[in-house]
Amino acid sequence: MSKANVTVGDSGIFDAKQLGVSKMLILGVQHMFAMFGATVIVPALTGLDVSTTLLFAGLGTLLFHFLAKGKVPAFLGSSFAFIAGYAAIAPNGEKELLPYACFGVACSAVLYLILAALIKAFGTSKVMKFFPPIVTGPIIIAIGLNLSQSAINNCAANWWIAVLAIVVVIACNIWGKGMIRIIPIIMGVIVSYAAAAVTGNVDFAPVKEAAWIGFPIHYESTVFSVLKGGDTSLLITAAITIMPIALATMVEHIGDMSAISSTVGKNYIKDPGLHRTLLGDGLATMLASLFGAPANTTYGENTGVLSLTKVYDPAVIRIAAVLAILFSFSPKIEAIISCMPTATLGGVSLVLYGMISAVGVRNVVENQVDFAKSRNVIIAALILVLSIGINFSAAGAISFSIGAVTVNLSGLAVGALTGIILNAVLPGKDYKFDDDEPSDTGVNFEV
């Protein structure tokens, strides 16, 4: 494959250097755009700082890649799962209370480290036997479908702009030649953004007012500002309230690793190992929280980009991480990206979220899950109905109290835990795990 004539085979591109530096940079920009919309929504909803969020999304991603031996093409962005935790401690985004919430999130990251240590001590297969295809497939499907509401809501801001983005993404991916076929997302963003700007649907006032350079870390927003002389009782309350959320996000992490493995066709849960990816995710979350940024998580949006482009080189993700770090120091560039029409983000997200669910379907199909068995039908049915039904219910979560502490479990957490338990107790398991098998993720890979 030459730089002048790039073609994408069924196996994808694992060494993006063959595309040339300039094309790798464009691919990195595309991944940065893919994560940007959802990543900045979390600080917008919680009151945390956008620039700090971008900085630690980039740093967290690089830390994750270092700990995962640079093998996993994953980007770490803001976790939506912890929004309820921030709201519990700082319901109105109070600046003086957010550091306490961040302390609770940092404490929750310790659970990642504990689970990583257990996996390292007892082996991946001892954990992954609870995650066969009949469990991971529906979980991955639910991840994409649960994200779909936000995509539709964003599209509703201006449907013609959203549809234009969708059409461009599809056209570039299906009929595009060479590099155009590899960057459908960024093409959709550029064309849709430009059309919106020309028709007066973009307000560039924030860009004019923003400074070119600014420091993204503010001491008063960090956990360090409350560790000495802060409210000890509130610190403890935040930790107890927020730490249980990690139980859900760790399950989501395993689902995300399965999704990335299935998309790329490599068993990342076995190599570099689930203990390494959990460690990377946990430490990235801890680092971000201590400095006043949202918790980090492996991003499904970027998995969707991998599925569309078939460029699987982790170096491209690291380029996106470096760009996020650089952009965090420029309020002007941040404002340009923030001015992107909501409908543009909605349009490209609609495609990406659908791709995530499609990967889950492929996971089930390629592993030939036998739906003639009632146990498999029941497990898949309950995972999907609970994950999606609870998420879109009036409450949005299952709540219960432990003493004075109220615990909220998301639909995905309830669905995943239900599937894991049912698979463990129901007779008739039809998937065998072995330490010598290369496919203990529940996906038949040819590595």
Side-chain angles (χ1 to χ4, degrees), residues 67-409:
L67 294 172
K69 299 182 178 180
K71 295 182 177 182
V72 185
F75 193 98
L76 272 61
S78 304
S79 172
F80 280 77
F82 285 95
I83 289 178
Y86 294 111
I89 304 302
N92 298 307
E94 296 88 346
K95 295 296 183 183
E96 68 277 9
L97 296 179
L98 282 172
Y100 292 95
C102 289
F103 173 78
V105 176
C107 290
S108 72
V110 175
L111 297 180
Y112 281 80
L113 311 189
I114 294 173
L115 181 59
L118 291 174
I119 291 174
K120 176 64 176 176
F122 299 105
T124 303
S125 63
K126 294 293 191 301
V127 175
M128 290 312 300
K129 69 181 181 180
F130 296 102
F131 298 92
I134 187 56
V135 174
T136 57
I139 289 175
I140 295 168
I141 293 171
I143 289 174
L145 294 180
N146 278 336
L147 290 168
S148 63
Q149 184 184 40
S150 65
I152 295 296
N153 289 339
N154 287 339
C155 289
N158 193 315
W159 271 105
W160 79 263
I161 292 177
V163 170
L164 177 61
I166 295 170
V167 169
V168 172
V169 170
I170 294 174
C172 291
N173 188 246
I174 300 297
W175 296 289
K177 303 295 184 182
M179 191 63 184
I180 295 298
R181 187 179 181 185
I182 299 177
I183 56 169
I185 301 300
I186 197 168
M187 290 301 297
V189 168
I190 291 173
V191 173
S192 179
Y193 195 159
V198 169
T199 55
N201 286 287
V202 181
D203 179 12
F204 287 109
V207 178
K208 298 176 182 177
E209 299 170 359
W212 278 104
I213 299 176
F215 194 65
I217 298 177
H218 313 284
Y219 177 77
E220 64 277 8
S221 298
T222 68
V223 171
F224 306 109
S225 67
V226 296
L227 286 180
K228 185 177 180 180
D231 187 334
T232 303
S233 176
L234 187 53
L235 286 170
I236 296 173
T237 299
I240 295 174
T241 301
I242 297 176
M243 285 183 72
I245 297 175
L247 298 176
T249 57
M250 288 188 294
V251 171
E252 290 182 23
H253 174 90
I254 296 172
D256 287 339
M257 285 300 102
S258 296
I260 295 173
S261 296
S262 182
T263 298
V264 176
K266 288 189 175 183
N267 190 339
Y268 293 123
I269 288 180
K270 192 172 186 67
D271 181 24
L274 186 59
H275 64 290
R276 284 186 171 273
T277 62
L278 274 169
L279 179 65
D281 202 339
L283 287 180
T285 290
M286 184 179 293
L287 179 67
S289 300
L290 289 175
F291 286 91
N296 279 329
T297 187
T298 44
Y299 250 37
E301 289 86 343
N302 294 86
T303 303
V305 174
L306 295 175
S307 182
L308 274 174
T309 65
K310 298 187 183 302
V311 177
Y312 306 137
D313 190 345
V316 172
I317 305 290
R318 292 193 284 273
I319 291 174
V322 172
L323 290 173
I325 293 171
L326 293 176
F327 286 178
S328 73
F329 285 90
S330 177
K332 182 76 72 176
I333 295 177
E334 176 193 332
I336 292 173
I337 301 175
S338 296
C339 285
M340 185 188 306
T342 301
T344 295
L345 292 172
V348 297
S349 296
L350 197 69
V351 178
L352 293 178
Y353 297 162
M355 293 298 295
I356 296 169
S357 292
V359 167
V361 173
R362 193 180 87 181
N363 192 348
V364 171
V365 172
E366 289 185 352
N367 286 283
Q368 301 179 346
V369 174
D370 186 3
F371 280 103
K373 290 188 174 182
S374 295
R375 77 177 305 275
N376 289 340
V377 173
I378 290 171
I379 292 171
L382 287 177
I383 289 175
L384 291 171
V385 170
L386 289 171
S387 298
I388 299 168
I390 293 173
N391 183 66
F392 294 114
S393 67
I398 297 294
S399 300
F400 59 91
S401 297
I402 302 177
V405 178
T406 299
V407 178
N408 295 298
L409 290 179

